[in-house]
Amino acid sequence: MNTSKTLATCIIDDELGMRNNLKYQIKALDLPIRLVGEATCVAEGVALVQAQEPDLVFLDVEMPDGKGFDVLKQLPELSAKVIFVTAHNHYAVEAFRFSALDYLLKPIDPDELQLAVGKAMEAIEKEGYQLKVNAFLSNMEDVSTKYKKIVLKNSDSIFAINVSEIIRLEASNNYTTFYTENQSPIVVSKTLKEYEEMLAEYGFYRIHQSHLINLNFFARYDKKDGGTVVLKDKTALPIALKKKELLFEYLEKL
C-alpha cells in the first residue's frame, strides 16, 4: 500500500497472541501504520488513547473488564478511526454492518486487514464518522427494531435513519433509493441485495427484483393487473408471481 502518510495506531486486546499476530501482519503487508501503544483492557485502552491521540485503533470486542464498546462510551470526542476485532459476537457484527463501522473477524484475514486499513486512510469528515459511532452505540444498547439505526452515505451527506421509519427501498442498477417517513428520498451506491440481507430480520420483504418493502407499511394487496402491493403512503408496487405466497405467509405472522 503506497502512501506518504502513516497512521499512529493503538492495539487494545487482552490476547497477547492476537496482538503479536496483528503486528506481524502489519509488518508483512507493509501497511502504513506506526504502533504507538498497546493495552490489554478497557481501562488501559481509554488511558492509552487519551495519552497518544492515535489516528487508528484496533479494538477487541470482549475484554476482562468490559467490552470494546465501553472505550467508545468513555471517549465521546474520539476522532481516531476504529477497527473492531471480534471472534464470534454475532449481534456486534450486525451492529457494525448497520452503522458502517469497520470490523475484522478473528483469525484476521490479511486481505481483510489491508482493506480495512485502506478504508481508514480515506478522508472521513469528523461529523460523519461520529454519526456512525453514535448509531453503532445506539444499536448495541437497544435490540428493538423501533430504535435501531442504519447509516446511509451519499456524495453529499451522511444520514442516521431509524429502521422503523423506512417505508421501502427501490433498486436502480447498482444504486438503491430509500423512501422514509420523514425525509426526502436518499440514493446510495449499494445494491438492493446488500440491504435485503441486512434488513431481512426486521420485517422487510423483497416483493420484486426492484422493490424491498417494510411490511409494517403494508396496506393491502390488489389482485388486478397481475397483483399490486399498496403501502400506507399510497405507493402501488408490482409483486413478482413467485413472491406472492410467501408474502401472505409473512403477513400472517405480523
Side-chain angles (χ1 to χ4, degrees), residues 125 153-159:
E125 195 172 327
K153 181 179 179 181
N154 60 24
S155 58
D156 299 318
S157 306
I158 297 176
F159 305 85

Side-chain angles (χ1 to χ4, degrees), residues 99-110:
S99 59
L101 286 179
D102 259 328
Y103 67 93
L104 295 169
L105 291 174
K106 298 179 183 179
I108 293 176
D109 178 270

Side-chain angles (χ1 to χ4, degrees), residues 13-55:
D13 195 304
D14 63 305
E15 299 178 29
L16 176 60
M18 165 59 202
R19 298 198 305 275
N20 288 340
N21 177 264
L22 181 54
K23 288 186 289 184
Y24 171 81
Q25 291 202 47
I26 289 170
K27 184 175 181 180
L29 294 169
D30 193 25
L31 297 177
I33 282 176
R34 174 171 53 87
L35 188 64
V36 296
E38 299 176 42
T40 63
C41 63
V42 171
E44 289 180 5
V46 171
L48 175 63
V49 172
Q50 288 176 327
Q52 297 294 336
E53 298 184 351
D55 302 307

Side-chain angles (χ1 to χ4, degrees), residues 172-183:
S172 177
N173 296 320
N174 291 324
Y175 291 85
T176 298
T177 301
F178 281 73
Y179 294 87
T180 71
E181 287 186 287
N182 303 312
Q183 299 207 45

Side-chain angles (χ1 to χ4, degrees), residues 39-91:
T40 63
C41 63
V42 171
E44 289 180 5
V46 171
L48 175 63
V49 172
Q50 288 176 327
Q52 297 294 336
E53 298 184 351
D55 302 307
L56 176 65
V57 177
F58 288 97
L59 184 57
D60 190 15
V61 170
E62 301 284 349
M63 287 182 283
D65 62 337
K67 298 183 182 297
F69 323 133
D70 298 325
V71 174
L72 295 184
K73 293 176 183 177
Q74 295 182 50
L75 297 169
E77 301 302 319
L78 178 68
S79 60
K81 307 304 179 288
V82 176
I83 299 175
F84 277 95
V85 183
T86 179
H88 51 72
N89 194 321
H90 172 74
Y91 180 64

Side-chain angles (χ1 to χ4, degrees), residues 12 29-30 45 100 115 125 128 132 165 188 192 199 213 246:
I12 305 173
L29 294 169
D30 193 25
L115 181 62
E125 195 172 327
K132 293 181 181 182
E165 296 176 0
V188 296
L192 186 61
L199 296 168
I213 66 169
L246 190 55

Side-chain angles (χ1 to χ4, degrees), residues 69 84 89-103 132-142 148-151 198 202:
F69 323 133
F84 277 95
N89 194 321
H90 172 74
Y91 180 64
V93 169
E94 181 182 271
F96 300 143
R97 292 177 66 201
F98 270 84
S99 59
L101 286 179
D102 259 328
Y103 67 93
K132 293 181 181 182
V133 171
N134 291 342
F136 170 76
L137 291 175
S138 174
N139 289 340
M140 287 303 302
E141 290 175 352
D142 197 312
K148 184 172 288 294
K149 294 181 182 293
I150 185 170
V151 172
M198 191 183 299
Y202 302 98

